[in-house]
Amino acid sequence: MTQSSSRRDFLKQTTAFSAGLALSGWAGSAFATTSLNNPLFEISLAEWSLHRALKGGKLDNLDFAKVTKEEFGINAVEYVNQFFKDKARDKKYLAEMNQRAADVGVKNLLIMIDGEGALGDPDPKKRTQAIKNHHQWVEAAKTLGCHSIRVNARSNGSYKEQQKLAADGLRRLTNFAAKYGINVLVENHGGLSSNGAWLAGVMKMVNLPGCGTLPDFGNFVLDRKTGEEYDRYKGVKELMPYAKAVSAKTHEFDKDGNEIKTDYVKMMKIVLDAGYHGYVGIEYEGKKLDEYAGIKASKKLLLKVREELTPEEAVAPQAVECCEPGRRRIFRRRRLFRR
């Protein structure tokens, strides 16, 4: 056999193996992601991580993308509306945000929306007004090239009443956002929304592809007065089937760089086991480290966890040569990783 014919046969086998991966559903698995030399997940930065600098006038919203890239080496951002609250319809300002992000090679992912009313308000007029208040942010997200806005599912009433009310507001807002190709994501953010089962139930009621969740690793406080918390691992597991973004909340770190309240290896296994390989957004809220140091510590932790969870067997497809023994071997390795 000539060298050229061997190369052709090799390429055919590689192509066939790759096609087999796609048909077998491996395209969304952790192995398929790493076998293509892509990381298990990407890292982004939530603007709230710098809220003290922003509120204190030490940082301007327009410089957020630049600081994200130059200070932290992160290429994607998640904005918070309160840092440009009066600019939702300011086309010139939004264009400047776009330009500054583009200048440093940063991708705009989403806008976190607060202070625009309760989407599950029991008063029909107030609920409708809250929905309308969010419209401008859907349009702003579209202008910025984001894929989503993050909202809250705040309401009042009994468990089931609040589910129905929140689902109504979210369904109507999601239908509006669909016209712009924007998703509406709900974060566990206090009250019943911090109950994973409750919020998952809301998602089932809405039942629209454009409505999903943004699980936050730390926002599972059910009652701030008593300190009662929902199990964060159970909650994230319940919300991940609907997740289109993930918030890696950090507060304090031990001497080894691990987050003291959240087992990040355990948590990220839950995220990856759900088939999620998108952006994981750093949201640092600690006080012992300053914001810049806290963000860097958070990134270091995520990189360490990503490396630990990446299987050593994540090699190029040609290593298995499309043979049955090799494929069986990879299936065994993948099961070990997913366990």
Side-chain angles (χ1 to χ4, degrees):
M1 185 179 293
T2 66
Q3 185 175 1
S4 60
S5 63
S6 296
R7 179 176 174 78
R8 284 196 299 272
D9 291 342
F10 171 75
L11 290 173
K12 287 179 182 179
Q13 289 179 349
T14 302
T15 301
F17 181 78
S18 299
L21 288 181
L23 290 173
S24 66
W26 280 28
S29 74
F31 180 85
T33 303
T34 54
S35 70
L36 296 175
N37 296 320
N38 292 326
L40 286 177
F41 57 88
E42 300 283 357
I43 297 174
S44 55
L45 180 63
E47 193 170 20
W48 188 253
S49 299
L50 291 163
H51 69 276
R52 289 195 290 272
L54 287 154
K55 290 183 176 181
K58 297 180 180 179
L59 176 65
D60 187 272
N61 176 66
L62 287 173
D63 294 321
F64 173 52
K66 182 179 179 181
V67 167
T68 296
K69 181 63 175 287
E70 295 182 353
E71 289 285 339
F72 311 114
I74 295 174
N75 302 317
V77 294
E78 302 167 13
Y79 295 103
V80 176
N81 74 325
Q82 62 182 278
F83 300 123
F84 57 114
K85 194 67 179 286
D86 60 341
K87 306 294 186 183
R89 298 191 186 279
D90 189 329
K91 294 182 179 180
K92 184 178 179 180
Y93 186 88
L94 296 178
E96 183 68 15
M97 286 179 66
N98 266 334
Q99 188 60 56
R100 294 203 186 191
D103 285 345
V104 291
V106 167
K107 185 175 183 179
N108 299 330
L109 298 181
L110 57 88
I111 310 174
M112 298 185 178
I113 314 302
D114 297 302
E116 294 292 4
L119 290 171
D121 198 301
D123 185 320
K125 291 183 178 179
K126 291 182 178 179
R127 187 163 69 254
T128 296
Q129 186 59 53
I131 295 167
K132 291 180 178 178
N133 291 346
H134 283 77
H135 287 182
Q136 62 180 344
W137 293 109
V138 169
E139 295 167 356
K142 178 67 175 180
T143 299
L144 291 173
C146 299
H147 62 71
S148 304
I149 61 169
R150 186 279 279 150
V151 302
N152 299 298
R154 197 154 47 89
S155 185
N156 284 298
S158 70
Y159 185 101
K160 291 185 177 180
E161 287 173 342
Q162 289 192 53
Q163 278 189 320
K164 292 178 181 178
L165 292 167
D168 176 68
L170 289 167
R171 186 183 302 110
R172 290 157 63 188
L173 179 58
T174 301
N175 283 330
F176 173 84
K179 301 173 186 176
Y180 295 85
I182 298 296
N183 299 306
V184 175
L185 310 185
V186 187
E187 180 181 355
N188 47 303
H189 209 193
L192 277 174
S193 75
S194 289
N195 179 315
W198 182 88
L199 188 51
V202 171
M203 291 297 104
K204 292 176 183 178
M205 287 183 179
V206 176
N207 194 29
L208 290 174
C211 187
T213 59
L214 192 160
D216 182 296
F217 295 169
N219 284 354
F220 285 101
V221 178
L222 298 171
D223 189 326
R224 294 190 181 278
K225 293 181 179 179
T226 64
E228 179 187 1
E229 291 191 11
Y230 194 82
D231 184 280
R232 65 186 62 197
Y233 305 102
K234 180 175 183 286
V236 170
K237 188 172 183 178
E238 289 167 331
L239 299 180
M240 280 309 302
Y242 313 97
K244 298 179 186 293
V246 170
S247 182
K249 179 67 62 61
T250 54
H251 289 90
E252 313 300 345
F253 305 87
D254 64 19
K255 60 181 178 63
D256 297 316
N258 297 310
E259 219 285 333
I260 62 174
K261 293 184 178 180
T262 301
D263 181 335
Y264 260 69
V265 171
K266 180 178 180 179
M267 191 66 87
M268 286 307 303
K269 280 183 178 179
I270 293 172
V271 170
L272 295 171
D273 281 347
Y276 182 89
H277 298 286
Y279 284 94
V280 175
I282 293 170
E283 191 172 62
Y284 173 68
E285 284 192 348
K287 295 180 179 179
K288 289 186 178 180
L289 296 177
D290 66 50
E291 291 179 321
Y292 283 68
I295 292 168
K296 290 175 182 177
S298 301
K299 180 184 176 183
K300 184 177 181 180
L301 173 59
L302 283 172
L303 289 175
K304 181 178 73 171
V305 170
R306 189 171 73 181
E307 182 178 0
E308 181 176 338
L309 294 182
T310 298
E312 293 180 3
E313 295 81 3
V315 295
Q318 59 263 34
V320 300
E321 298 180 354
C322 199
C323 58
E324 282 303 314
R327 291 186 69 177
R328 285 196 294 272
R329 182 166 62 253
I330 286 179
F331 271 109
R332 286 200 299 273
R333 288 169 177 171
R334 179 170 177 262
R335 283 199 294 271
L336 284 171
F337 168 67
R338 301 287 284 181
R339 190 169 297 148

